[in-house]
Amino acid sequence: METNTAEVVTQIPWAAVITGLAGLAGALGGSFLTNLFAEKRWDKQVKSESEKESRKLMREKSEQTFFAMTKWSKEIYFFYSARLGYLQGSISEELLDKVIREKINTSTHGEVDVLVKLYFPDFKSEVEAIFEKLDKCNKTFGLSESGKLTKANALEKMIPLVTDVEKSMEQLSDKFCEWITTNIR
């Protein structure tokens, strides 16, 4: 039995084969396009969620930093008011120690320093400048305690230093508050 090639060609249902191949190509093309658009949508969603989480973190950290700065400013006020009162002779050394024990948390300045360095490096120089000013105040008070300066001389030197620290703290707080309202939404 000989088969003629023309007979074999006519026996293949070409319409069904072409329809099947076209359907397969359409399905593969549709699947490819669906996956492509789904991937783009997924990337946008991940980016959006990441930005949302980042904004949330920065909002929380800015609130925490602002609260710590406010607390630190109040502690500086109590600390140096007590020291100035002691140098003036209006409070005793025991009362000075009591005010420091009750009103001052020694970790507050460290918390401000860490938060600023990690999350708000634009304010690092202002915080470091305040630390330097506080160091000058502490050295002046230390000189009076060691007897190298009289209390009156230490008081005279400390008043402008403390005033400068308080002014710097207020400026830092105002600048940080403005930054928050401008950048955190």
Side-chain angles (χ1 to χ4, degrees):
M1 206 185 245
E2 258 182 63
T3 48
N4 190 354
T5 315
E7 287 178 18
V8 173
V9 170
T10 56
Q11 290 176 358
I12 298 177
W14 286 109
V17 171
I18 291 173
T19 303
L21 289 176
L24 179 63
L28 289 175
S31 175
F32 173 75
L33 290 174
T34 300
N35 285 338
L36 179 69
F37 292 122
E39 186 175 326
K40 286 183 179 181
R41 191 183 97 248
W42 175 256
D43 289 343
K44 285 180 183 177
Q45 183 178 352
V46 167
K47 183 179 177 186
S48 174
E49 288 178 13
S50 175
E51 288 173 356
K52 186 177 177 181
E53 287 297 318
S54 178
R55 282 192 308 272
K56 180 181 176 191
L57 174 69
M58 289 306 290
R59 184 175 46 254
E60 290 171 357
K61 291 304 176 183
S62 63
E63 290 170 358
Q64 182 181 359
T65 304
F66 186 75
F67 177 73
M69 282 181 181
T70 303
K71 185 177 176 192
W72 187 37
S73 179
K74 289 177 182 177
E75 289 176 0
I76 287 171
Y77 172 80
F78 284 121
F79 185 75
Y80 287 105
S81 292
R83 280 188 161 187
L84 293 174
Y86 172 73
L87 291 174
Q88 288 174 334
S90 58
I91 67 169
S92 65
E93 188 172 352
E94 292 80 28
L95 185 55
L96 171 66
D97 291 339
K98 181 181 177 188
V99 168
I100 292 171
R101 262 192 329 275
E102 293 177 1
K103 301 284 185 187
I104 310 302
N105 181 345
T106 57
S107 66
T108 304
H109 68 280
E111 181 182 3
V112 170
D113 190 39
V114 168
L115 287 167
V116 167
K117 285 180 180 175
L118 291 178
Y119 298 101
F120 309 102
D122 293 346
F123 297 95
K124 182 180 172 189
S125 61
E126 284 97 335
V127 171
E128 288 175 349
I130 291 170
F131 280 130
E132 289 172 10
K133 292 173 182 182
L134 292 172
D135 191 46
K136 287 179 185 177
C137 291
N138 292 334
K139 285 180 181 176
T140 302
F141 186 79
L143 289 173
S144 75
E145 290 295 290
S146 67
K148 295 180 181 176
L149 270 179
T150 64
K151 286 184 178 182
N153 286 342
L155 180 65
E156 186 179 316
K157 289 184 179 207
M158 277 188 67
I159 288 175
L161 292 172
V162 170
T163 303
D164 188 33
V165 167
E166 289 178 347
K167 182 179 175 185
S168 296
M169 285 295 301
E170 186 176 324
Q171 289 171 344
L172 173 63
S173 180
D174 290 346
K175 186 177 175 184
F176 189 72
C177 188
E178 183 180 323
W179 184 91
I180 290 172
T181 57
T182 304
N183 296 297
I184 304 295
R185 294 181 194 129

